[in-house]
């Protein structure tokens, strides 16, 4: 028991005194948070910039422009520029679309109103940037809705089925709310995976473990102290990141802190165990780092840290769904964003526990004191 | 003196090694060795790098499992009662690096926490002259201080047997001498010390008995004095001949053969560029040697005489030097 306490304190001292490691293990996640947080919150998400040129200048064309104005949340249209300038901006990528109401639009509409059915319909030209498929889709959608509305009103069409949108419990979540739980998950992964692998491999190489092995110290005591010290460190680091997120970026915390802590603990244990496996497999301390990096780097991008898992290619989905980081980031996110309880998160919890148990079993076979 | 009487006088064995053997693949690091270490002595394992000294020590410490044979420490078998063995031994490993970021006091306390019975930390660090470094971080210690700390950590559980694996390798002469004093004090306080080294001067000075090892085998085991006197040659004479390179082979062989016939000479050898004679009658040999040179018109240089050392014993027994060249 005394040995357990002394080893835990010693490990915490090593963490605390290794300023460089301490700084970078904390700086790295905070840096990611700040960088991605600002980058994605300011780029305006789905706003589309474009030019609007009215060559017709009739009552009908002005009605169309007025209808477009209702979509101003999405479409930011500039009517002051000439056609050439607007098209040039589209080619440069400054505009995502250009809408041109051609001459004769008003007349065609009038003709269509008077002689039902047979007259050619009025047209509006929409130029868009094919390289930005997602934004172009949104833009065309918005314009179609406007056009659709005009058509229906002219044709005196009365809809048989309508939609009544009813938003429930709008949480008004921002990207930073998505990001912070992901960053915490990433931090837990990289600290434990890389940290344990590098440290144990280096202690083994330097004979530290052999020296301890020559004393009556039990390996279970040694490992228990390692786990305790790392849990304290990770808990503190997660808390710092959450507090920075909360105070600097105003991220939300809608769930239970106890459940969040529970997932931080299970996540730490699972990734520590994987770190022990890598330490066992690595022949030298120099190779432990790259092996850990090779594993953690893809996990960071696949496992829902920065991007939603749903946006990954479908053939990767089964693989991603088996990754421990995916379950950790999903669980942390669900707790923080929508306040999910254990009843919703039992599958994530179960998967992480499974990872933890299997990894510890494998680690106990691959682990070498020397 | 019979071996029985000698044992009674020198104390009962505290370590018993029987037929220890260790292989790494096709390489046999330790090839079936037997010896006893007596309570209260400084026991030296002397041999060149790769002789099997470290592997031998680690098998006795229980850090390596022998392929064959067994070792007992204070009556406990290292295979079946390892935990008891660990409580009665203190170990300083050849390559142990300590936690650089901990303070001297902290790391000593940590190692002390691994044992049930320990000595007070203050006097312990004083005994290795580190009392002024209590609050210094390990990384700020010199090489000699680190090595003394490693020895303090080996003594923290008041062990009966202390294993020191090449404790002075890489230290400057001053630091080596400080360490020698500490090791001699350990014996004075009743500890049994097992020490490995490839410095023959160190072994000669510190050890009560020396186990000479080469290629995994024990080639001799005795007190330093007996090892040397068993060569039956108390003194060595060395010299070189500058014009020798122009000599025909026959003349060189002739000289060596003649040197053998000088009175008192036991061994005459030619090593690299130097002739070495071992003799038990230095004055007579030297007189005849100089007369012979005069008669044959041989011009020798760099003549020196010295007492024979363990190095000479080793070369005599193995044909090779302790240090690799």
């Amino acid at each position: 028991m005394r040995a357990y306490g002394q080893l835990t304190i010693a490990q915490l001292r090593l963490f605390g005194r290794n300023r460089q490691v301490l700084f970078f293990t904390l700086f790295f996640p905070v840096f990611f948070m700040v960088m991605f947080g600002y980058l994605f919150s300011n780029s305006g998400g789905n706003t589309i910039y474009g030019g609007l040129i009215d060559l017709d200048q009739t009552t009908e064309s002005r009605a169309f422009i007025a209808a477009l104005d209702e979509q101003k949340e999405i479409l930011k249209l500039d009517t002051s520029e000439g056609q050439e300038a607007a098209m040039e901006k589209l080619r440069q990528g400054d505009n995502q679309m250009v809408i041109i109401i051609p001459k004769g639009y008003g007349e065609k509409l009038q003709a269509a109103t008077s002689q039902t059915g047979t007259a050619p319909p009025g047209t509006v030209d929409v130029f868009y940037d094919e390289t930005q498929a997602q934004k172009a889709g949104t833009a065309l959608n918005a314009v179609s809705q406007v056009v659709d509305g005009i058509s229906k009103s002219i044709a005196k069409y009365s809809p048989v089925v309508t939609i009544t949108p009813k938003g429930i419990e709008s949480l008004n979540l921002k990207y930073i709310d998505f990001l912070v739980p992901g960053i915490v998950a990433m931090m837990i992964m990289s600290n434990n995976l890389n940290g344990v692998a590098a440290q144990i491999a280096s202690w083994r190489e330097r004979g530290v473990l052999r020296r301890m092995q020559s004393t009556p110290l039990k390996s279970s005591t040694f490992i228990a102290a390692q786990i305790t010290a790392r849990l304290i460190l990770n808990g503190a680091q997660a808390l710092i990141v959450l507090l920075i997120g909360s105070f600097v970026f105003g991220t939300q915390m809608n769930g239970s802190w106890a459940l969040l802590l529970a997932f931080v603990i299970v996540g730490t244990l699972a990734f520590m165990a994987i770190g022990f496996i890598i330490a066992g497999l690595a022949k030298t301390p120099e190779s432990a780092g790259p092996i850990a990096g090779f594993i953690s780097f893809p996990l960071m991008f696949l496992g829902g840290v920065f991007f939603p898992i749903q946006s990954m290619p479908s053939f990767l989905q089964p693989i991603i769904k088996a990754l421990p980081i995916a379950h950790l980031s999903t669980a942390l996110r669900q707790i923080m964003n929508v306040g999910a309880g254990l009843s919703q998160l039992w599958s994530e919890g179960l998967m992480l526990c499974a990872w933890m148990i299997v990894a510890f079993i494998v680690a106990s076979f691959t682990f070498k004191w020397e | 003196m019979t071996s029985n009487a000698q044992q009674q006088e020198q104390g009962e064995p505290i370590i018993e090694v029987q037929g220890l053997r260790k292989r790494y693949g096709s390489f046999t690091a330790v090839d079936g060795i037997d010896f006893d270490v007596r309570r209260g002595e400084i026991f030296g394992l002397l041999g060149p790098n790769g002789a099997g000294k470290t592997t031998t020590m680690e098998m006795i410490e229980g850090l390596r499992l022998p392929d064959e044979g067994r070792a007992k420490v204070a009556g406990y078998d290292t295979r079946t009662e390892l935990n008891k063995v660990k409580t009665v031994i203190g170990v300083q490993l050849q390559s142990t690096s300590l936690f650089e970021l901990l303070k001297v006091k902290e790391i000593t306390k940590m190692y002390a926490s691994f044992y049930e019975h320990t000595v007070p930390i203050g006097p312990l660090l004083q005994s290795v002259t580190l009392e002024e470094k209590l609050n210094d971080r390990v990384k700020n210690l010199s090489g000699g201080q680190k090595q003394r700390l490693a020895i303090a950590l080996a003594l923290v559980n008041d062990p009966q047997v202390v294993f020191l694996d090449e404790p002075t390798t890489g230290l400057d002469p001053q630091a080596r001498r400080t360490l020698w004093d500490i090791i001699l004090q350990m014996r004075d306080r009743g500890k049994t010390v097992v020490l490995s080294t490839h410095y023959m001067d160190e072994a000669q000075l510190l050890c009560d008995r020396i186990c000479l090892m080469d290629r995994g085998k024990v080639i001799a085991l005795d007190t330093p004095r007996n090892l040397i006197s068993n060569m039956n040659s108390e003194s060595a004479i060395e010299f070189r001949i500058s014009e020798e390179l122009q000599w025909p082979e026959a003349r060189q062989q002739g000289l060596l053969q003649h040197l053998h016939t000088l009175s008192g000479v036991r061994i005459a050898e030619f090593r690299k560029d130097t002739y070495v004679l071992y003799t038990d009658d230095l004055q007579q040999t030297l007189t005849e040697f100089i007369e012979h040179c005069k008669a044959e018109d041989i011009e020798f240089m760099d003549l020196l005489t010295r007492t024979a050392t363990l190095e000479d014993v080793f070369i005599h027994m193995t044909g090779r030097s302790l240090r690799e060249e």
Side-chain angles (χ1 to χ4, degrees):
Chain A
M1 206 54 209
R2 216 156 47 91
Y4 166 73
Q6 280 290 332
L7 277 169
T8 306
I9 292 168
Q11 178 66 69
L12 286 174
R13 280 182 177 132
L14 293 180
F15 283 140
R17 289 174 190 173
N18 201 336
R19 292 282 148 76
Q20 211 174 4
V21 170
L22 195 67
F23 175 74
F24 278 103
T25 50
L26 202 57
F27 172 79
F28 191 54
V30 171
F31 171 76
F32 264 115
M33 188 162 68
V34 172
M35 195 178 74
F36 281 84
Y38 276 122
L39 267 183
F40 286 95
S41 63
N42 290 348
S43 73
N46 286 323
T47 310
I48 289 141
Y49 293 88
L52 175 61
I53 291 101
D54 184 0
L55 298 174
D56 194 41
Q57 299 287 354
T58 58
T59 333
E60 284 77 14
S61 71
R62 271 176 223 117
F64 178 73
I65 293 168
L68 272 178
D69 198 43
E70 279 170 23
Q71 300 281 345
K72 67 181 173 199
E73 286 292 312
I74 299 169
L75 301 176
K76 305 273 185 214
L77 298 175
D78 186 354
T79 51
S80 60
E81 284 170 323
Q83 187 175 357
E84 280 309 308
M87 291 302 282
E88 184 54 33
K89 274 177 108 176
L90 179 63
R91 271 179 224 110
Q92 297 292 327
D94 295 333
N95 273 344
Q96 276 109 38
M97 73 185 307
V98 173
I99 302 172
I100 296 171
I101 308 170
K103 223 170 167 52
Y105 167 82
E107 284 168 26
K108 277 188 184 161
L109 238 61
Q110 281 165 7
T113 321
S114 51
Q115 7 171 319
T116 30
T118 52
T123 53
V124 173
D125 299 326
V126 178
F127 298 89
Y128 63 91
D129 185 353
E130 269 187 318
T131 60
Q132 299 206 24
Q134 203 194 339
K135 292 212 165 183
T138 315
L140 288 173
N141 232 340
V143 178
S144 320
Q145 256 183 51
V146 172
V147 171
D148 216 32
I150 292 170
S151 297
K152 282 174 183 167
S153 80
I154 290 173
K156 308 246 175 352
Y157 165 78
S158 104
V160 187
V161 183
T162 58
I163 304 165
T164 317
K166 289 181 179 170
I168 48 155
E169 199 189 347
S170 173
L171 285 163
N172 190 23
L173 293 168
K174 296 198 226 81
Y175 180 67
I176 193 76
D177 290 306
F178 174 87
L179 186 65
V180 167
I183 295 274
V184 172
M186 176 195 79
M187 193 169 69
I188 290 171
M189 173 181 74
S190 74
N191 279 1
N192 288 292
L193 206 75
N194 305 2
V196 171
Q199 183 177 53
I200 298 297
S202 131
W203 283 2
R204 194 174 51 214
E205 165 90 0
R206 289 159 53 205
V208 172
L209 295 183
R210 287 175 65 66
R211 178 62 184 84
M212 289 194 185
Q213 209 193 350
S214 72
T215 73
L217 175 71
K218 290 195 197 75
S219 51
S220 56
T221 310
F222 172 79
I223 289 169
Q226 272 288 311
I227 289 173
T228 312
R230 286 194 176 271
L231 280 177
I232 293 171
L233 182 81
N234 279 295
Q237 284 181 323
L239 192 69
I240 290 172
V241 169
L242 290 176
L243 288 179
I244 292 176
S246 171
F247 286 112
V248 179
F249 295 100
T251 49
Q252 302 177 28
M253 173 58 191
N254 296 312
S256 140
W257 281 97
L259 190 61
L260 191 74
L261 183 68
F263 270 98
V264 168
I265 290 173
V266 177
T268 302
L269 293 177
F271 284 111
M272 263 189 85
I274 299 173
F276 272 113
I277 297 175
I278 297 169
L281 296 178
K283 293 206 164 61
T284 65
E286 288 76 26
S287 65
I291 293 175
F294 177 73
I295 293 172
S296 66
F297 205 69
L299 289 189
M300 194 156 82
F301 285 99
L302 293 177
V305 171
F306 301 118
F307 318 109
I309 294 169
Q310 291 80 2
S311 70
M312 293 293 157
S314 58
F315 71 94
L316 280 177
Q317 292 285 344
I319 301 170
I320 292 167
K321 293 234 164 76
L323 299 177
I325 182 75
H327 295 284
L328 183 60
S329 60
T330 305
L332 296 181
R333 194 165 287 139
Q334 293 290 320
I335 295 168
M336 288 184 63
N337 290 1
V338 297
L342 197 56
S343 55
Q344 288 112 301
L345 294 175
W346 62 270
S347 71
E348 278 79 11
L350 214 61
M351 277 299 280
L352 272 178
C353 285
W355 265 99
M356 176 181 82
I357 291 163
V358 171
F360 265 113
I361 291 170
V362 174
S364 69
F365 283 110
T366 57
F367 189 71
K368 300 181 287 271
W369 282 97
E370 50 185 282
Chain B
M1 206 176 343
T2 67
S3 73
N4 237 345
Q6 202 172 15
Q7 250 182 26
Q8 266 171 11
E9 191 189 313
Q10 306 262 355
E12 87 269 27
I14 191 162
I15 296 174
E16 298 162 71
V17 171
Q18 284 169 6
L20 277 188
R21 201 182 297 269
K22 184 75 189 174
R23 291 185 199 89
Y24 299 114
S26 61
F27 173 70
T28 305
V30 174
D31 196 4
I33 55 168
D34 303 87
F35 59 80
D36 286 353
V37 178
R38 296 168 191 150
R39 188 179 288 277
E41 73 175 345
I42 299 180
F43 185 86
L45 287 168
L46 178 67
N49 290 331
K53 306 186 297 285
T54 299
T55 308
T56 302
M57 284 179 102
E58 290 185 342
M59 283 192 286
I60 304 171
E61 293 155 2
L63 284 174
R64 281 185 204 283
L65 210 61
D67 295 328
E68 283 170 42
R70 66 199 185 104
K72 273 184 164 186
V73 181
Y76 303 123
D77 194 301
T78 54
R79 291 167 309 175
T80 53
E81 297 163 294
L82 185 56
N83 278 329
K84 285 189 175 142
V85 171
K86 283 175 176 179
T87 61
V88 296
I89 64 170
V91 174
Q92 175 257 319
L93 295 174
Q94 199 178 113
S95 61
T96 304
S97 59
L98 306 158
F99 296 105
E100 299 269 304
L101 291 170
L102 292 185
K103 292 176 185 167
V104 169
K105 192 173 62 182
E106 291 166 352
I107 195 165
T108 314
K109 246 182 168 169
M110 187 184 89
Y111 272 94
S113 76
F114 302 160
Y115 298 94
E116 273 179 35
H117 171 69
T118 54
V119 294
I121 285 169
L124 171 67
L125 289 172
Q126 204 169 1
S127 73
V128 294
T129 61
L130 280 178
E131 67 273 19
E132 283 166 15
K133 300 285 175 185
L134 273 177
N135 288 310
D136 283 27
R137 289 195 184 170
V138 174
K139 76 171 171 191
N140 297 330
L141 300 182
S142 70
Q145 288 167 337
K146 276 182 189 164
Q147 204 59 281
R148 298 208 303 269
L149 175 59
I151 289 175
L153 296 180
L155 292 169
V156 77
N157 59 326
D158 195 18
Q160 296 182 37
V161 188
V162 185
F163 293 89
L164 306 176
D165 197 354
E166 306 206 352
T168 62
T169 299
L171 298 186
D172 62 73
Q174 181 59 44
R176 286 180 76 196
R177 234 161 262 133
T178 314
L179 214 58
W180 289 349
D181 286 340
I182 289 169
I183 293 168
L184 290 171
Q185 279 166 25
M186 281 160 61
R187 179 183 58 186
D188 294 345
R189 271 185 261 128
K191 307 274 179 233
T192 306
V193 180
V194 178
L195 170 97
S196 84
T197 181
H198 59 258
Y199 298 118
M200 47 117 197
D201 57 336
E202 184 169 288
Q204 200 159 1
L205 186 111
L206 290 177
C207 298
D208 297 308
R209 289 194 309 148
I210 289 170
C211 174
L212 217 51
M213 286 189 75
D214 186 47
R215 294 176 177 171
K217 287 201 158 93
V218 174
I219 52 174
L221 200 174
D222 214 326
T223 62
R225 179 185 290 262
N226 284 350
L227 282 173
I228 292 165
S229 64
N230 282 350
M231 285 205 322
N232 289 324
S233 317
E234 295 289 318
S235 309
I237 302 169
E238 290 182 15
F239 63 92
R240 292 197 297 136
I241 296 169
S242 58
E243 61 194 14
E244 175 198 72
L245 285 175
Q246 287 101 52
W247 283 11
E249 185 121 347
R251 192 168 176 198
Q252 286 180 37
Q253 289 299 323
L255 175 64
L256 208 54
Q257 269 168 24
H258 183 78
L259 290 172
H260 270 289
T261 65
L262 299 177
S263 45
V265 169
R266 300 277 173 178
I267 305 155
E269 285 173 343
F270 181 66
R271 286 186 207 140
K272 282 179 86 181
D273 56 352
T274 308
Y275 289 89
V276 185
L277 308 180
Y278 294 103
T279 173
D280 51 9
D281 188 348
L282 180 63
Q283 186 166 357
Q284 193 57 38
T285 308
L286 212 50
T287 314
E288 287 179 26
F289 166 68
I290 289 174
E291 277 167 6
H292 177 73
C293 288
K294 204 172 187 177
E296 295 282 314
D297 196 22
I298 297 168
E299 205 171 308
F300 62 83
M301 56 189 286
D302 297 343
L303 177 74
L304 70 86
T305 68
R306 56 178 174 80
T307 50
T309 65
L310 286 172
E311 175 100 37
D312 299 313
V313 176
F314 189 83
I315 292 168
H316 174 57
M317 297 186 103
T318 66
R320 289 178 302 115
S321 168
L322 267 173
R323 312 263 190 90
E324 286 135 41
E325 305 191 15

